């Protein structure tokens, strides 16, 4: 299986993940979905945050996420979008990040998806990478 297959078949195929990417801990995108554009600065900030939790917020593809949980290998976060009519914040999905030995998996999901389901898929893929030495 190619790195792109892990994105397309492992994360996006079920429809609960909107955008996804895999990048190296040392930087550099290994695979990503068409609309996922994680900058080098965002990649570095994510790895730095995983190495020194807890985090308050992260940016993925220019979108700001509020971290609800961060550890040495997982970040759970929620996207907040201002409501156009009153400026109040409403939930807009989230982002789950998993660090393995050599890679970081990023999965952005819409508000209709269950965080638990996305986390289970990302954890399963991350644990597979770890068993394979990645």
């Amino acid at each position: 299986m190619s790195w792109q297959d892990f994105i397309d078949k492992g994360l996006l195929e079920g429809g609960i993940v909107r955008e996804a990417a895999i990048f190296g801990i040392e930087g550099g995108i290994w695979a990503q979905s068409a609309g996922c554009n994680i900058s080098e600065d965002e990649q570095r900030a994510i790895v730095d945050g995983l190495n020194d939790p807890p985090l308050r917020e992260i940016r993925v593809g220019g979108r700001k996420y509020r971290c609800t949980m961060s550890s040495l290998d997982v970040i759970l976060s929620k996207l907040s979008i201002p409501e156009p009519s009153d400026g109040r914040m409403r939930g807009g999905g989230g982002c789950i990040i998993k660090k393995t030995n050599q890679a970081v998996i990023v999965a952005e999901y819409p508000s209709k998806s269950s965080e638990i389901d996305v986390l289970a898929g990302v954890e399963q893929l991350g644990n597979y990478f770890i068993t394979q030495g990645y």
Side-chain angles (χ1 to χ4, degrees), residues 47-104:
V47 171
D48 289 348
L50 285 162
N51 289 334
D52 189 24
L55 285 171
R56 295 196 66 187
E57 68 180 37
I58 57 166
R59 289 189 179 270
V60 175
R63 290 173 293 283
K64 186 165 45 169
Y65 290 87
R66 177 182 46 82
C67 295
T68 57
M69 193 284 291
S70 64
S71 68
L72 292 171
D73 68 339
V74 174
I75 298 170
L76 305 180
S77 60
K78 294 288 186 181
L79 178 65
S80 292
I81 303 168
E83 207 43 76
S85 59
D86 61 12
R88 293 178 52 198
M89 301 303 274
R90 64 176 167 84
C95 183
I96 294 178
I97 298 172
K98 168 78 174 172
K99 182 173 97 173
T100 68
N101 299 330
Q102 297 181 35
V104 176

Side-chain angles (χ1 to χ4, degrees), residues 11-57:
L11 293 173
L12 298 177
E13 193 169 74
I16 62 171
V17 172
R18 177 179 52 223
E19 302 291 347
I22 302 167
F23 65 87
I25 288 176
E26 300 298 322
I29 299 290
W30 295 3
Q32 64 187 355
S33 57
C36 190
N37 296 304
I38 304 172
S39 72
E40 289 179 18
D41 288 342
E42 290 172 336
Q43 291 173 46
R44 271 192 302 278
I46 289 168
V47 171
D48 289 348
L50 285 162
N51 289 334
D52 189 24
L55 285 171
R56 295 196 66 187
E57 68 180 37

